[in-house]
Amino acid sequence: MTGEYLAGRGAYILGLITKRIWFRASLFSVAAILTALVAGWVAPFIPYELSLTVGGKAVDNILTILASSMLAVTTFALSASVSAYGSATSTVTPRATQLLVDDRFTQNALSTFVGTFLFSIVGIIALTTGLYGAEGRVVLFFATIVIVAVIAITLLRWIQHLSSFGRVRDTIERVETVARRAMQAWAEAPHLGAQPPVAIPTGSLSVYPADTGYVSHIDVAGLARIAERYGLTVHIAELPGAFVYPERPVAHVSGAVDDKARMAIKNTFSILPDRQFDQDPRFGLIVLSEIASRALSPAVNDPGTAIRVLGAGHRTLADFVDTKRGAKAGIHLRVHAPALTIDDMFDDFFRPIARDGASVVEVQLRLCATLSSLAAHAPAIFGKIARRHADAAKMRADDVLSFEGDRAALHMKDF
């Protein structure tokens, strides 16, 4: 669970690259081209009798059909994907679109279609130039049969995938998955695997970022190695998700710090224009609340989606207390990091829903039920803050609910 969460800077950057569709498409394309070219190398091992069995023109027509059809299929698949991205942006929230872009099955399908197109083109060129002999055509023929089977399976799965891809329910489930993964990772290794925060010694050096943006990732293991090498103690000032700029420190360092150590510490913080989910459990809760707020807008008026989001948020917050600490909790002795506060997480998730759903009694009832359930689940951790949010939600509802029966039903709830 903590693999990506505690990944080093190099592994984090590599992970960002491998999630891009161009990376996967490039791999599939190179594999397809090599498959088409390898037939010439394998040809000497093919029995002559088999080459007589497979007709000389058997593969030409198949490759021509694949080349013409795969271009159309790729265009269709890409159009369907872009349509799903646009739908998620307009009906759910733009912050969830990246999860659809990173969908592995969609990337594999598009890459398979592009790779098959290139395989066909390279195969046709090789046949036209006489690169293959009769035995080489046999290898190309069987490779083509295998690829046709792969294409058929991929198309059938792609059609099924499109039935839910980019829909509201699918997007909520994707956001909940990454939010719970980040929350469970934090619970297993709180403080990013570092020590809890302590008072920063007087005279500590502040480290400032070079860019303006959001802290997307912190290489805590790298910070620990730097601290050990130079005999330092590093106090992380901002967790992933914080908005920073060159005048706002990201860390404070106590000990003899030279320019080389200061630059090395600065490079362990990755700053990007947008927030990321991996090390930022609060961002998942924020995106879930945005989905609920969009659903509660007068233009959409879909309280059912907001109620579904409340269930997702309940499960995510419950993971904070249900997940047991792992072996990587507090393993970095020279690094201290802030805590992930319950108040911030409840404010991120419940306050927007209480505000935008104040006039919908069904949403308010489920909101209070969710808060009551969390308080009962972990009274010492969630009890006080849950009651505060429930009282605030009821006050909001009292201001806008015109029917006395709705207000009475809301105040009859345990919370």
Side-chain angles (χ1 to χ4, degrees):
M1 183 65 66
T2 55
E4 294 182 2
Y5 173 71
L6 297 180
R9 179 178 173 84
Y12 173 70
I13 295 175
L14 180 61
L16 290 180
I17 293 175
T18 56
K19 289 180 181 179
R20 299 296 179 259
I21 188 171
W22 63 262
F23 177 82
R24 199 173 295 263
S26 299
L27 289 182
F28 275 65
S29 299
V30 170
I33 292 172
L34 291 177
T35 301
L37 295 178
V38 77
W41 302 331
V42 181
F45 303 98
I46 300 299
Y48 178 72
E49 293 78 8
L50 184 58
S51 65
L52 294 178
T53 304
V54 178
K57 297 292 184 180
V59 72
D60 300 59
N61 292 335
I62 301 177
L63 289 176
T64 301
I65 294 172
L66 282 179
S68 59
S69 61
M70 280 301 104
L71 186 59
V73 170
T74 302
T75 303
F76 161 74
L78 186 58
S79 299
S81 300
V82 172
S83 176
Y85 304 153
S87 175
T89 300
S90 59
T91 62
V92 187
T93 171
R95 260 63 60 188
T97 305
Q98 187 59 46
L99 296 177
L100 300 179
V101 176
D102 293 342
D103 179 60
R104 289 189 175 183
F105 180 80
T106 300
Q107 293 186 359
N108 286 340
L110 291 171
S111 301
T112 300
F113 300 151
V114 173
T116 302
F117 173 73
L118 292 177
F119 167 82
S120 305
I121 293 297
V122 172
I124 291 173
I125 293 174
L127 289 172
T128 304
T129 56
L131 179 63
Y132 302 136
E135 292 81 2
R137 285 175 176 267
V138 173
V139 178
L140 188 61
F141 173 78
F142 285 110
T144 303
I145 295 300
V146 172
I147 289 178
V148 168
V150 171
I151 287 295
I153 295 172
T154 303
L155 275 174
L156 291 174
R157 295 184 61 198
W158 173 247
I159 293 171
Q160 175 63 31
H161 188 66
L162 286 181
S163 64
S164 61
F165 185 59
R167 304 297 188 268
V168 174
R169 177 174 179 174
D170 175 64
T171 308
I172 292 174
E173 290 175 352
R174 291 175 187 273
V175 177
E176 179 185 352
T177 297
V178 296
R180 294 188 66 180
R181 184 186 301 136
M183 188 69 75
Q184 292 165 6
W186 176 276
E188 286 184 9
H191 309 285
L192 300 170
Q195 301 299 310
V198 295
I200 300 173
T202 303
S204 296
L205 174 72
S206 297
V207 177
Y208 297 89
D211 301 317
T212 297
Y214 293 94
V215 179
S216 62
H217 180 269
I218 302 175
D219 182 2
V220 182
L223 276 176
R225 289 193 295 270
I226 296 168
E228 187 69 31
R229 184 185 310 146
Y230 293 96
L232 309 172
T233 301
V234 180
H235 303 266
I236 296 173
E238 302 293 346
L239 289 174
F243 183 76
V244 297
Y245 39 88
E247 294 76 28
R248 182 175 181 176
V250 293
H252 304 283
V253 187
S254 59
V257 187
D258 57 20
D259 289 342
K260 184 178 180 181
R262 182 175 58 83
M263 185 59 64
I265 293 172
K266 180 188 298 187
N267 289 337
T268 61
F269 291 81
S270 298
I271 312 297
L272 294 178
D274 301 308
R275 294 179 75 165
Q276 304 293 314
F277 291 96
D278 295 338
Q279 283 190 343
D280 188 3
R282 288 180 58 190
F283 186 46
L285 292 170
I286 290 171
V287 175
L288 283 172
S289 71
E290 287 182 353
I291 297 173
S293 293
R294 177 70 64 89
L296 292 169
S297 65
V300 179
N301 190 25
D302 180 17
T305 292
I307 291 173
R308 186 178 185 85
V309 166
L310 283 168
H314 180 282
R315 290 185 289 271
T316 303
L317 288 166
D319 285 339
F320 183 79
V321 296
D322 291 343
T323 306
K324 296 181 179 179
R325 288 198 174 191
K328 295 185 178 181
I331 58 176
H332 303 302
L333 302 179
R334 289 181 171 269
V335 182
H336 298 266
L340 188 64
T341 64
I342 302 296
D343 286 14
D344 287 340
M345 291 191 292
F346 271 61
D347 288 344
D348 291 336
F349 182 69
F350 288 109
R351 184 165 57 189
I353 300 176
R355 178 195 64 219
D356 297 324
S359 61
V360 185
V361 66
E362 293 83 5
V363 173
Q364 291 297 322
L365 289 171
R366 178 57 65 89
L367 176 65
C368 289
T370 301
L371 289 166
S372 178
S373 176
L374 287 171
H377 187 69
I381 299 175
F382 293 145
K384 184 177 180 180
I385 184 65
R387 176 167 291 280
R388 178 167 69 82
H389 275 271
D391 292 341
K394 291 178 181 180
M395 291 175 62
R396 292 178 185 272
D398 285 340
D399 288 341
V400 296
L401 289 175
S402 58
F403 181 55
E404 178 61 31
D406 288 344
R407 294 196 296 272
L410 185 59
H411 285 277
M412 285 177 61
K413 296 295 295 184
D414 182 35
F415 244 44

